[in-house]
Amino acid sequence: MKIALFFKKNPRVAVAFSGGVDSAYLLYAAKQYAQEVQAYYVKSAFQPQFELEDALRLAGELAVPMRILTVDVLSSDVIASNPADRCYHCKRKIFEAIRQAAEADHFSVLLDGTNASDDAADRPGMRAIEELSVLSPLRECGLTKAEIRLRSKEAGLFTWDKPAYACLATRIPAGEPITEEKLRATEAAEAFLFSLGLSNIRVRQMGNAAKLQVPAAQIETVMKHRERITEELKRYYSAVLLDLEARA
């Protein structure tokens, strides 16, 4: 199916918008082909501030109205306990909030940015959106991540080359309780590394230590700023470790 045909069949849509590559292109396509579209961004302890800023910027550039919903994910004991299927419970809570807000705004069709490259076996959250009857037009239309990036570049979207960024909760090992303090430490540590020019990085928690994961090409930059990085991150962690198995 062509994306334009999808929106011909679904002319009024609500879009769950994270500010990432996939949902950004989905919002662009909805603006191009749907009769009416509204974006919904969920602000939670799992989302860094820059994601909200990117979402606001793109929604503004596309002239699409965007509602910001605040969801207290840590109020859920099962989410805070961080089981292996935490993503399922979190997605369920977030999309229930979006569904409720969208229906109050008289939108019956809710969309998300799942694409044809996403593996359902590796994404427990996909089960939640299926249960809530959320549609994934990028996946339905066979659009892969690579194709979405290409189309986004052609459309002039600043998100076209934005690195994938999983939520902050993914930095904490499954089974270890998630707290606001741990999430804020992760966000501050990664923001500092971004400020040094690093990208596509992760600061994962290992006990009380931080494990830095960076692309191989950026290891030299990490070593160049080793003392500054160690000093800054030891404000939040007992030790700072570098993973030599570089990120792809």
Side-chain angles (χ1 to χ4, degrees), residues 28-50:
Y28 165 80
K31 175 67 175 179
Q32 292 293 110
Y33 301 115
Q35 292 179 13
E36 186 176 0
V37 57
Q38 168 107 2
Y40 294 82
Y41 179 93
V42 170
K43 184 178 181 181
S44 79
F46 291 174
Q47 313 310 128
Q49 179 63 25
F50 78 81

Side-chain angles (χ1 to χ4, degrees), residues 1-116:
M1 183 191 301
K2 299 290 187 181
I3 196 80
L5 179 58
F6 175 90
F7 288 110
K8 185 175 182 179
K9 294 181 177 180
N10 300 278
R12 295 187 71 257
V13 296
V15 175
F17 182 43
S18 68
V21 177
D22 300 325
S23 64
Y25 179 73
L26 177 61
L27 194 65
Y28 165 80
K31 175 67 175 179
Q32 292 293 110
Y33 301 115
Q35 292 179 13
E36 186 176 0
V37 57
Q38 168 107 2
Y40 294 82
Y41 179 93
V42 170
K43 184 178 181 181
S44 79
F46 291 174
Q47 313 310 128
Q49 179 63 25
F50 78 81
E51 292 280 43
L52 174 56
E53 293 169 358
D54 283 356
L56 286 168
R57 175 183 168 187
L58 191 74
E61 291 179 358
L62 295 177
V64 173
M66 185 179 94
R67 283 189 60 183
I68 301 172
L69 309 176
T70 300
V71 175
D72 184 3
V73 288
L74 293 180
S75 67
S76 166
D77 291 339
V78 66
I79 294 174
S81 67
N82 199 17
D85 64 346
R86 179 207 69 249
C87 188
Y88 164 76
H89 299 286
C90 186
K91 285 281 189 183
R92 179 96 196 185
K93 187 176 182 68
I94 285 173
F95 275 87
E96 284 175 344
I98 299 175
R99 170 70 75 188
Q100 182 178 12
E103 289 180 350
D105 293 335
H106 308 293
F107 288 94
S108 60
V109 178
L110 176 57
L111 313 179
D112 93 307
T114 302
N115 68 59

Side-chain angles (χ1 to χ4, degrees), residues 45-46 74 80 172 176-184:
F46 291 174
L74 293 180
I172 302 170
E176 183 175 326
I178 301 172
T179 66
E180 186 83 28
E181 182 181 14
K182 292 174 184 176
L183 296 170
R184 297 289 71 81

Side-chain angles (χ1 to χ4, degrees), residues 105-183:
D105 293 335
H106 308 293
F107 288 94
S108 60
V109 178
L110 176 57
L111 313 179
D112 93 307
T114 302
N115 68 59
S117 298
D118 291 328
D119 182 0
D122 191 44
R123 290 175 176 259
M126 289 176 68
R127 177 161 59 98
I129 64 174
E130 290 175 0
E131 291 174 355
L132 293 170
S133 299
V134 178
L135 301 182
S136 303
L138 302 180
R139 188 175 182 84
E140 287 185 31
C141 296
L143 295 179
T144 64
K145 190 76 166 188
E147 177 69 15
I148 291 165
R149 287 192 184 278
L150 178 60
R151 292 190 179 199
S152 296
K153 185 177 183 180
E154 292 172 346
L157 305 182
F158 74 87
T159 52
W160 77 270
D161 64 344
K162 182 176 178 178
Y165 192 87
C167 84
L168 296 170
T170 62
R171 313 303 195 269
I172 302 170
E176 183 175 326
I178 301 172
T179 66
E180 186 83 28
E181 182 181 14
K182 292 174 184 176
L183 296 170

